[in-house]
């Protein structure tokens, strides 16, 4: 349970808020590279951390992320012409380069000097691992580029998608570190989904619905270790890393690709649920990529032309009561991502955390909130750099393994949790 002001601190990420300032300390996923495929391709409107922005690739192929609205009289530059090194407003032809600098006011007399004094807000936009990343903080504090393994393996080993989710980012993140719901909500799909089925770990997951959480702090955030009973008194451990502020990795299953999420605030009531799958040592199989494109695993299918899942709030997520009753799907909603989204959205845009009743399996969530609040306050009050900015903190993996009962997971699995290029993930 949180106090009202703690819930507000955690959930508000607009300009000038403490959590918003903290998010602006990191490189964050902004768009899929395929959204801006070529020089001069149509610009894309994007809202991040409550700021409405326009992303474009100029005629030289260079990327820009600028204020969506023209400095003249506020028209959306999405209607603009992407031509000759900039975006030209469709209303009166003012033109801006990819850094937001006005470079032409065609209606003004030459030499008026007006143009040089007009500049829109702009942020860097860089491509890495099929994702366009932005940094929305102070230019002199821009950190080194992100080093998450899914974004640094060869392109044929990785697949990334994003979907629009109608709730605050923290509700979505909390789903990512709450491993106990897997034995319930996702129980129907563990043995049928082509990207999950067939692993020994599934059996442990389904046979023990009373997991024990052991959460430890690490440099970048948290390790959420969750143990279930295995054979001969051993424990099956699933270890989820949480890297501040909003990166989580799901423990793998067998030789399936390993996967995870970024939960990026669009505004305080919606977020981008980024979902990636990668294999550290081999190319993804055609059948795997096809399954991801068809909405299996942690991915979804879409309303055409959007990033809104085709099963969504407006159609009750295609609830199937017969499948719920028969136990094919625990909740009656099909697909892991939509199962999560449906329940997280059902809590309302910003859940009232003053009314919760938390239990021992919520320990990961409790510690993540504490860590986030502590870091946002330390940044606001003392300028302390938050965890998770150093690219070394990104070189981490989830793991799933069986250990004897006397071995603490944090030390026994220390090696398994390092993103070692060329080394397979540790998975049961
Ligand atoms: S509003 Fe953009 S040029 Fe006038
Ligand atoms: Fe889930």
């Amino acid at each position: 349970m949180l106090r009202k002001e703690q819930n507000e601190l955690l959930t508000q990420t607009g300009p000038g808020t403490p959590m918003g300032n903290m998010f602006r300390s990191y490189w964050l996923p902004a768009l899929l590279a395929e959204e801006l495929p070529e020089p001069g391709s149509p610009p894309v409107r994007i809202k991040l951390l409550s700021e409405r922005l326009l992303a474009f690739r100029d005629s030289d192929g260079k990327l820009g992320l600028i204020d969506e609205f023209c400095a003249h009289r506020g028209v959306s530059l999405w209607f603009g012409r992407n031509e000759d090194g900039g975006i030209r407003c469709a209303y009166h032809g003012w033109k801006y380069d990819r850094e937001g600098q006005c470079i032409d006011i065609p209606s003004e007399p030459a030499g008026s000097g007006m143009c040089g004094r007009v500049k829109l807000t702009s942020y860097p936009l860089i491509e890495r691992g099929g994702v366009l990343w932005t940094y929305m903080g102070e230019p002199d504090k821009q950190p080194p580029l992100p080093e998450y393994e899914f974004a640094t393996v060869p392109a044929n080993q990785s697949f990334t998608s994003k979907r629009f989710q109608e709730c605050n980012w923290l509700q979505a993140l909390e789903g990512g570190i709450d491993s106990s719901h897997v034995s319930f909500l996702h129980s129907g799909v563990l043995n049928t989904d082509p990207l999950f089925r067939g692993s020994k770990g599934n059996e442990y997951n389904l046979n023990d619905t009373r997991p024990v959480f052991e959460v430890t702090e690490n440099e970048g955030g948290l390790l959420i270790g969750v143990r279930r009973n295995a054979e001969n008194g051993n424990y099956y451990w699933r270890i989820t890393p949480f890297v501040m502020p909003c990166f989580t990795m799901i423990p793998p299953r067998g030789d399936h690709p390993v996967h995870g999420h970024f939960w990026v605030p669009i505004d305080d009531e919606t977020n981008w649920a980024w979902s990636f799958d990668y294999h550290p040592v081999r190319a993804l199989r055609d059948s795997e990529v096809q399954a991801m494109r068809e909405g299996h695993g942690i991915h979804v299918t879409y309303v055409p032309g959007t990033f809104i899942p085709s099963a969504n709030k407006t159609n009750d997520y295609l609830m199937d009561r017969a499948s719920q009753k028969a136990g094919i799907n625990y909740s009656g909603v099909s697909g892991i991502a939509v199962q999560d989204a449906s329940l997280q959205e059902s809590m309302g845009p910003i859940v009232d955390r003053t009314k919760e009743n938390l239990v021992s399996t919520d320990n990961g969530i409790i510690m993540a909130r504490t860590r986030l609040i502590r870091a946002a306050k330390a940044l606001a009050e003392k300028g302390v750099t938050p965890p998770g900015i150093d690219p070394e903190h990104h070189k981490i993996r989830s793991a799933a393994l069986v250990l004897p009962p006397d071995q603490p997971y944090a030390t026994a699995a220390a090696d398994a949790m390092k993103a070692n290029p060329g080394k397979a993930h540790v998975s049961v």
Side-chain angles (χ1 to χ4, degrees):
M1 196 171 94
L2 291 179
R3 291 194 307 276
K4 183 167 173 284
E5 58 274 18
Q6 291 174 313
N7 200 29
E8 287 169 358
L9 189 144
L10 282 163
T11 53
Q12 296 175 355
T13 58
T17 60
M19 196 55 68
N21 288 342
M22 192 169 90
F23 266 90
R24 284 166 177 78
S25 308
Y26 299 85
W27 285 100
L28 297 171
L31 297 102
L32 289 162
E34 68 198 42
E35 292 181 75
L36 293 174
E38 60 197 14
S41 51
V44 177
R45 287 167 290 201
I46 172 106
K47 199 204 249 185
L48 289 173
L49 309 180
S50 300
E51 294 184 47
R52 290 181 62 175
L53 303 166
L54 188 83
F56 67 104
R57 200 184 275 279
D58 72 13
S59 53
D60 298 327
K62 298 203 174 101
L63 292 161
L65 185 63
I66 63 174
D67 189 339
E68 184 192 333
F69 301 100
C70 181
H72 179 211
R73 281 168 44 211
V75 158
S76 171
L77 292 168
W78 179 78
F79 292 91
R81 305 169 60 89
N82 187 0
E83 59 188 20
D84 299 333
I87 283 273
R88 194 180 282 285
C89 180
Y91 214 6
H92 314 94
W94 290 29
K95 185 173 178 184
Y96 303 89
D97 70 12
R98 67 194 191 90
E99 280 161 1
Q101 179 61 52
C102 183
I103 50 175
D104 190 23
I105 301 184
S107 56
E108 282 291 281
S112 82
M114 176 71 185
C115 184
R117 294 194 296 275
V118 175
K119 188 175 183 308
L120 298 174
T121 300
S122 78
Y123 302 116
L125 190 65
I126 60 109
E127 181 169 353
R128 202 164 177 78
V131 173
L132 305 183
W133 304 75
T134 190
Y135 165 76
M136 294 167 65
E138 294 165 31
D140 60 335
K141 301 219 171 101
Q142 182 175 313
L145 298 180
E147 290 283 349
Y148 295 98
E149 193 175 28
F150 82 93
T152 55
V153 292
N156 63 0
Q157 292 175 212
S158 193
F159 178 92
T160 302
S161 71
K162 70 172 193 183
R163 64 179 164 79
F164 178 73
Q165 184 161 328
E166 288 189 65
C167 70
N168 182 264
W169 75 278
L170 186 64
Q171 256 152 267
L173 168 82
E174 290 178 347
I177 52 182
D178 155 29
S179 172
S180 76
H181 76 270
V182 176
S183 303
F184 301 94
L185 177 62
H186 304 313
S187 55
V189 285
L190 286 185
N191 286 332
T192 55
D193 189 289
L195 297 162
F196 280 68
R197 69 187 167 210
S199 89
K200 178 74 181 160
N202 294 351
E203 279 176 36
Y204 300 130
N205 244 146
L206 294 171
N207 290 341
D208 186 352
T209 57
R210 291 194 170 78
V212 175
F213 275 59
E214 283 186 26
V215 188
T216 53
E217 286 198 4
N218 69 353
E219 287 183 326
L222 297 175
L223 297 173
I224 296 120
V226 177
R227 65 162 222 249
R228 289 178 171 83
N229 292 322
E231 303 86 353
N232 307 320
N234 291 329
Y235 292 139
Y236 168 62
W237 283 97
R238 294 180 60 75
I239 307 161
T240 299
F242 159 51
V243 181
M244 299 259 291
C246 59
F247 172 89
T248 56
M249 264 183 88
I250 302 164
R253 294 177 188 278
D255 185 49
H256 289 303
V258 56
H259 33 229
H261 300 281
F262 263 102
W263 316 97
V264 180
I266 296 173
D267 51 29
D268 293 346
E269 302 198 340
T270 58
N271 73 89
W272 287 119
W274 286 83
S275 304
F276 59 83
D277 258 275
Y278 73 97
H279 199 291
V281 295
R282 67 162 169 83
L284 298 181
R285 300 186 180 108
D286 291 346
S287 58
E288 289 170 336
V289 174
Q290 190 186 341
M292 291 166 201
R293 289 195 196 288
E294 288 173 355
H296 294 292
I298 57 170
H299 305 279
V300 296
T301 56
Y302 301 97
V303 174
T306 74
F307 289 103
I308 298 168
S310 37
N312 59 55
K313 197 158 92 178
T314 64
N315 54 26
D316 280 333
Y317 310 91
L318 306 176
M319 161 66 79
D320 178 348
R321 292 287 177 194
S323 134
Q324 185 186 49
K325 198 160 211 164
I328 298 165
N329 278 316
Y330 191 80
S331 77
V333 167
S334 131
I336 287 164
V338 181
Q339 288 168 354
D340 285 326
S342 58
L343 301 193
Q344 291 160 12
E345 292 181 357
S346 78
M347 297 154 92
I350 306 175
V351 70
D352 182 353
R353 292 184 175 80
T354 66
K355 292 185 175 154
E356 304 168 319
N357 292 286
L358 300 182
V359 292
S360 65
T361 55
D362 296 312
N363 274 351
I365 290 172
I366 293 166
M367 284 187 63
R369 293 174 184 175
T370 306
R371 196 102 213 256
L372 285 160
I373 290 175
R374 209 168 69 211
K377 284 192 170 163
L379 174 67
E381 289 161 14
K382 298 188 200 123
V384 177
T385 302
I389 291 178
D390 182 344
E392 288 306 309
H393 300 171
H394 306 167
K395 297 174 183 171
I396 195 159
R397 283 183 191 164
S398 55
L401 68 174
V402 174
L403 291 173
D406 57 348
Q407 287 196 22
Y409 81 88
T411 43
D415 229 37
M417 289 182 287
K418 283 194 192 111
N420 263 334
K423 207 179 107 195
H425 50 299
V426 173
S427 177
V428 178

